[in-house]
Amino acid sequence: MLWTTRVRGFCRRHPGQVLGLLLSLLQITSVLAVDDYIVGPNDVLNIAVFEQPQLTGKYLVQSDGMFTFPLLGRLKAGGLTMQVLENDLRDRLIKGGFLKQPQVSVSVDQYRSQQIFVMGEVRQPGTLQFTGSMSIIEALARVGSTTERAGMEAVILRAPAGGAGAAPDAAAIARAQNANDANIVRVNLQNLQGALSQNIDLRAGDTIFVPRAETVFVSGQVRSAGEYVIRKGMTVRQVLTLAGGVTERGSTRRIQIIRSVNGADTTVPATLQDTVRTGDTIVVRESLF
């Protein structure tokens, strides 16, 4: 019981170190799972045959999934795992009478065929090479994590069976955010550190999109006017609390919301209990007395 209490206390005091340790463990797991990686076009293979330097080297997989190996000619690599390819090379060297008991090792020198796309409110959006095993935490860590303007939810757009393909355009992402589709996975970013069940395993061709947080603007007689991130269902009272509250000159009975309706700005009176919407501007006016 005492040990558990101390561990919990450390986690609260050093969340960054805990996340770093978690990422290290995930990367170790990723290395252990690389044997399941499926070779694809443009991958560069590192093939070693024990005590056979003329066979050992780096081999580029062509666009048709084939590569050329000494003594054996053109062989298939695309669609195979490391273990299957090792066994195939070993069997061919034996059956061809080239070696009696060859020791063959195959690894990937450069991952080029499978990718993960990361877009939106991350520090370094772009393309990640998929190495056979990658979680959303690892992917976000590789792009420098999310920005201060990131929302609380990430959207994963699953690639079609077989992966590959180009990153979806902005219109496709916009449609995906509102779609009820089996190929769309939503992840609560706030729960990632505390709930490993949210740390979803990615697939080749997946796109991670981190939308910008929903915000409102606060102006007028408040202590800290500006833009504030909101959660769904927040009220005027809660937003004003974020802005430091109303000044002595302001009145909670003279609040207006400037809201865009059908492309036009509309000003409506508001109470502290009213729910705000993304893009609203809350204006606190001066008291009349």
Side-chain angles (χ1 to χ4, degrees), residues 11 27 31 33 94 109 115 120 142 177 203 220 239 246 269 278 280:
C11 292
Q27 290 169 355
V31 171
I94 294 174
D109 182 71
Q115 301 174 325
R142 290 189 183 187
Q177 290 185 78
R203 305 172 188 169
V239 172
V246 177
T278 302
D280 281 353

Side-chain angles (χ1 to χ4, degrees), residues 116-119 155-159 166-168 173 205-209:
I116 299 292
F117 307 98
V118 187
M119 306 172 69
V155 180
I156 301 175
L157 285 70
R158 290 291 193 200
I173 291 175
D206 279 354
T207 296
I208 302 172
F209 177 65

